[in-house]
Amino acid sequence: MDSTCKINAAMSIWRRLSLFVLASSLCLCLCRAEDSAMENIVTEKKAEESHRQDSADLLVFILLLTLTILTIWLFKHRRCRFLHETGLAMIYGLLVGVVLRYAIHVPSDMNNVTLSCNVNASPATLLVNVSGKFYEYTLKGEISGSEINDIQDNEMLRKVTFDPEVFFNILLPPIIFHAGYSLKRRHFFRNLGSILAYAFVGTVVSCFIIGLFMYGCVLLMKQIGHLGGDFFFTDCLFFGAIVSATDPVTVLAIFNELQVDADLYALLFGESVLNDAVALVLSSSIVAYQPEGDNTHTFEAMAMLKSFGVFLGVFSGSFALGVATGVVTALISFTFTKLRELPLLETALFFLMSWSTFLLAEACGFTGVVAVLFCGMTQAHYTFNNLSPESQDRTKQLFELLNFLAENFIFSYMGLTLFTFHNHVFNPIFIVGAFLAVFLGRAANIYPLSFLNKITSNFQHMMMFAGLRGAMTFALSIRDTATYARQMMFSTTLLVVFFTVWICGGGTTPMLSCQKIRVGVDSDQENFQSCLMMDFLCVRLQIGPDGVEMRSTKQESAWLFRIWYNFDHNYLKPILTHSGPPLTATLPACCGPLARCLTSPQAYENEGQLKDSDSDLILNDGDISLAYGDITVSTDATGAHTSGTPVGGVAVNSDEALDRELAFSDHELVIRGTRLVLPMDDSEHPLPLDSHRHKNETMS
């Protein structure tokens, strides 16, 4: 009986113990479930707060752009030219940056925990084990020890700091493409030699002069103990490359508004377009400089040659890729002619093919800036002719709008970054040296090459003054700010951009007056009346060694471009577009079936019409005749003038006929069967032949 009672008591205790363990387990599970639910609620709350913060940050930039646009309208209405829209955007960005940095404080989060962990490097991804659960954290950047207690403020400022890849993949492509797509090819190719000299030779010279000068400043800083980290000669060359990229958007906008001389505009615009591409490839080549051995910053001939090979390979590959993508787009628009009936799809395809050029070049290891630039030129030359009239207007307006918004966004962000970027390094010696170096580099770029290309002195001084730094310089400097040297470069670059945009951009109008450069010039009328009438009609007089005037044609001095123009006009344009002469008229008779297969029906309809936008650049022998009344003055293959006989039967000397022709108010130019009437202002007195010749030589 006692044993039975003991067994029952033991069983009762065991049941109670089991119930207690079960209840404890249930409570623990409920607590864990509750904790998990609370954690999910906290996570969702943080995600919602982060979403609201991101929306507020984007709203700040939208308001900045809106305020900039309204102020631009006010300035244009009041005709204020002392400050351009980009300068306004920078000022508004500065004001917002000051408010975000000093006026807004975010309360500290009590859940933030600071733990110490000794590691040799900062991992990009960190896995943290919290009570058996693994959480992934990503690296956001380095902060100084004094800012550990201001994590929330740092997070807010970091929210308005964009990833540098956003600039390269989103904002830069429309800016660069618009530069190539809107290029005025007539003036660009007329000054092609000078533009190429400034863009290639001048940029390299400027890079090395700035790099050498800054290296001297770095050595001085090291001697007096003002250098807080490593700064090598390759870093100085890299700085020289990025600040050699000019962006005279402010000056060009004023030039366009005032209608400044078209050749000066073409020189500045063409230099800045190609100069950005060269500076980007040059900076990449300097980064690729890797000598063998432990010291990677010593000079080595093979490493230098390798970097030079990288420069040529990347530039040529990017150029070929951009042209190829433009040609493919032209072939697609040429083949699928039914797309013209749906302008929306046609515009969308054009936009996507153009943007994909940049991404394709970057994915292949080339430079997207170079590729998208030459893609824009190719699209303007070929694809544009295949688009419907509605799509032509849409593509122009679309990329003009994207260029405007992206450019002003970047300049607003520049002002904002001056106060929101955490790792600024401002060194007075380096800053002063940078301003001097930029001035010397620009002078070494402009004046020697201008002397060789026979650019007038007032154009030289204006180009020297207009060497502003802008979006490309900023984008290259912000792309890598991991080291002490790159942080100092970025901080100094911001100041250089601010100074050039505000001071040089604001002083453009007074500088034009000081240099007595013509304004209010209609580029099209000027080109037809002086350049086309004088340059292309063989009225360039040269004095021979025997003192006899010798006449030569523009086509003789531009023979290389003339060969390309003839090939393009006779073969490429008919294949890639619906304009140009039919291939049946340009290919040999044996290629008749192939020519009929490749020629579109529209080409036969357009035969005999002057549809080529480059036809005023190079004209073939015997293609030009100048008619006044019953007198015809034309050119032959030697550049001599021949004149017809008037109705009265009296012969007229060719020189006299030409002088009479230039002295009258109405001119008719007959080119390939197309008659163009060129009116001249009757109020202007006709210039003598020598004056025309002097004016023409000055422009060319």
Side-chain angles (χ1 to χ4, degrees), residues 251-286:
V251 176
L252 292 176
I254 296 175
F255 279 12
N256 189 48
E257 184 178 353
L258 296 178
Q259 292 185 319
V260 177
D261 190 286
D263 285 320
L264 178 59
Y265 184 95
L267 286 172
L268 272 176
F269 182 76
E271 180 212 1
S272 67
V273 166
L274 295 178
N275 164 274
D276 286 350
V278 173
L280 177 58
V281 180
L282 188 60
S283 63
S284 301
S285 303
I286 294 172

Side-chain angles (χ1 to χ4, degrees), residues 64 67-69 71 87-97 412 415-416:
L64 274 175
L67 186 60
T68 302
I69 291 172
T71 313
L88 281 172
M90 292 169 65
I91 292 176
Y92 290 141
L94 283 171
L95 296 177
V96 174
S412 299
L416 192 71

Side-chain angles (χ1 to χ4, degrees), residues 315-331:
F315 194 93
S316 58
S318 304
F319 167 79
L321 184 62
V323 172
T325 310
V327 169
V328 168
T329 309
L331 286 173

Side-chain angles (χ1 to χ4, degrees), residues 618-655:
I618 298 297
L619 301 177
N620 292 326
D621 297 333
D623 281 341
I624 307 172
S625 63
L626 188 66
Y628 173 75
D630 298 315
I631 303 173
T632 300
V633 182
S634 61
T635 62
D636 56 20
T638 63
H641 301 289
T642 58
S643 59
T645 305
V647 176
V650 181
V652 182
N653 182 272
S654 62
D655 291 338

Side-chain angles (χ1 to χ4, degrees), residues 39 41 76 189 197 231 340 364 419 465 506 642 677 695:
E39 186 177 346
I41 293 174
K76 289 185 178 295
F189 284 109
F231 211 118
R340 294 170 59 91
C364 294
F419 291 98
F465 184 80
T642 58
V677 180
K695 179 180 180 181

Side-chain angles (χ1 to χ4, degrees), residues 274-508:
L274 295 178
N275 164 274
D276 286 350
V278 173
L280 177 58
V281 180
L282 188 60
S283 63
S284 301
S285 303
I286 294 172
V287 172
Y289 177 79
Q290 291 292 338
E292 296 180 357
D294 297 333
N295 191 353
T296 59
H297 297 281
T298 58
F299 175 78
E300 187 178 284
M302 289 302 298
M304 184 176 179
L305 291 176
K306 182 180 178 180
S307 295
F308 183 70
V310 169
F311 175 83
L312 294 179
V314 170
F315 194 93
S316 58
S318 304
F319 167 79
L321 184 62
V323 172
T325 310
V327 169
V328 168
T329 309
L331 286 173
I332 292 175
S333 60
F334 177 80
T335 305
F336 298 96
T337 54
K338 295 297 183 181
L339 274 176
R340 294 170 59 91
E341 301 174 1
L342 300 170
L344 179 61
L345 299 182
E346 191 179 30
T347 305
L349 179 64
F350 182 91
F351 175 80
L352 294 176
M353 290 294 293
S354 303
W355 202 303
S356 64
T357 303
F358 183 91
L359 301 177
L360 178 62
E362 292 291 332
C364 294
F366 297 118
T367 301
V369 170
V370 179
V372 80
L373 170 65
F374 287 101
C375 175
M377 293 182 179
T378 308
Q379 300 273 50
H381 191 62
Y382 296 114
T383 312
F384 184 81
N385 296 323
N386 297 335
L387 300 177
S388 62
E390 186 175 353
S391 294
Q392 290 178 349
D393 294 335
R394 281 183 175 181
T395 54
K396 281 185 176 181
Q397 294 171 0
L398 173 63
F399 282 101
E400 185 177 5
L401 173 64
L402 292 176
N403 170 74
F404 173 80
L405 292 178
E407 204 158 54
N408 282 279
F409 182 90
I410 290 178
F411 279 94
S412 299
Y413 186 72
M414 286 185 200
L416 192 71
T417 309
L418 187 64
F419 291 98
T420 58
F421 184 70
H422 285 282
N423 301 316
H424 277 304
V425 178
F426 293 104
N427 189 298
I429 298 178
F430 192 85
I431 293 172
V432 174
F435 277 95
L436 293 176
V438 167
F439 176 81
L440 293 176
R442 184 67 179 171
N445 177 353
I446 296 300
Y447 290 116
L449 295 177
S450 298
F451 176 78
L452 295 176
N453 288 284
K454 298 180 181 179
I455 306 295
T456 57
S457 59
N458 57 344
F459 278 20
Q460 295 180 33
H461 300 326
M462 192 67 229
M463 292 183 67
M464 171 70 190
F465 184 80
L468 280 66
R469 271 62 178 176
M472 179 59 69
T473 299
F474 174 76
L476 289 174
S477 62
I478 200 177
R479 199 171 191 179
D480 181 9
T481 56
T483 63
Y484 171 82
R486 296 299 176 88
Q487 292 166 3
M488 186 184 294
M489 291 182 207
F490 174 66
S491 303
T492 306
T493 298
L494 279 179
L495 298 182
V496 171
V497 173
F498 291 160
F499 179 84
T500 55
V501 170
W502 287 336
I503 305 302
C504 298
T508 300

Side-chain angles (χ1 to χ4, degrees), residues 46-304:
K46 287 184 177 180
E48 186 178 353
E49 291 178 355
S50 178
H51 172 71
R52 285 202 299 265
Q53 181 65 42
D54 293 339
S55 300
D57 295 337
L58 290 176
L59 180 61
V60 168
F61 287 104
I62 296 297
L63 293 178
L64 274 175
L65 291 177
T66 304
L67 186 60
T68 302
I69 291 172
L70 293 176
T71 313
I72 291 171
W73 171 84
L74 181 63
F75 273 47
K76 289 185 178 295
H77 182 69
R78 301 290 184 180
R79 298 186 180 275
C80 299
R81 299 190 181 97
F82 63 88
L83 188 62
H84 187 249
E85 58 202 46
T86 53
L88 281 172
M90 292 169 65
I91 292 176
Y92 290 141
L94 283 171
L95 296 177
V96 174
V98 170
V99 172
L100 291 177
R101 185 64 181 267
Y102 300 108
I104 298 179
H105 177 70
V106 180
S108 299
D109 189 352
M110 300 302 297
N111 295 323
N112 289 332
V113 178
T114 302
L115 299 176
S116 298
C117 181
N118 296 324
V119 292
N120 296 327
S122 56
T125 303
L126 187 65
L127 295 178
V128 179
N129 185 354
V130 181
S131 302
K133 291 185 177 181
F134 290 89
Y135 297 89
E136 181 182 4
Y137 294 86
T138 57
L139 179 67
K140 291 188 175 180
E142 180 185 2
I143 62 173
S144 61
S146 60
E147 296 177 335
I148 292 179
N149 297 325
D150 299 326
I151 296 295
Q152 295 301 111
D153 289 341
N154 295 337
E155 181 66 19
M156 182 197 64
L157 295 178
R158 193 177 285 113
K159 285 282 188 180
V160 296
T161 303
F162 288 93
D163 188 338
E165 293 304 314
V166 171
F167 290 96
F168 272 84
N169 295 330
I170 304 298
L171 298 177
L172 272 184
I175 295 176
I176 303 300
F177 182 86
H178 178 261
Y181 193 56
S182 62
L183 184 70
K184 295 182 178 179
R185 297 189 302 281
R186 178 199 310 161
H187 300 292
F188 178 83
F189 284 109
R190 281 187 59 211
N191 300 277
L192 183 61
S194 301
I195 291 172
L196 292 178
Y198 290 133
F200 284 88
V201 180
T203 303
V204 174
V205 169
S206 174
C207 169
F208 277 90
I209 286 181
I210 294 175
L212 290 171
F213 190 90
M214 295 311 300
Y215 189 62
C217 294
V218 168
L219 293 179
L220 175 62
M221 292 160 56
K222 188 180 295 184
Q223 285 291 110
I224 62 178
H226 280 202
L227 196 63
D230 293 332
F231 211 118
F232 302 101
F233 179 62
T234 51
D235 295 322
C236 296
L237 285 180
F238 181 82
F239 179 74
I242 63 176
V243 297
S244 294
T246 60
D247 185 17
V249 58
T250 304
V251 176
L252 292 176
I254 296 175
F255 279 12
N256 189 48
E257 184 178 353
L258 296 178
Q259 292 185 319
V260 177
D261 190 286
D263 285 320
L264 178 59
Y265 184 95
L267 286 172
L268 272 176
F269 182 76
E271 180 212 1
S272 67
V273 166
L274 295 178
N275 164 274
D276 286 350
V278 173
L280 177 58
V281 180
L282 188 60
S283 63
S284 301
S285 303
I286 294 172
V287 172
Y289 177 79
Q290 291 292 338
E292 296 180 357
D294 297 333
N295 191 353
T296 59
H297 297 281
T298 58
F299 175 78
E300 187 178 284
M302 289 302 298
M304 184 176 179

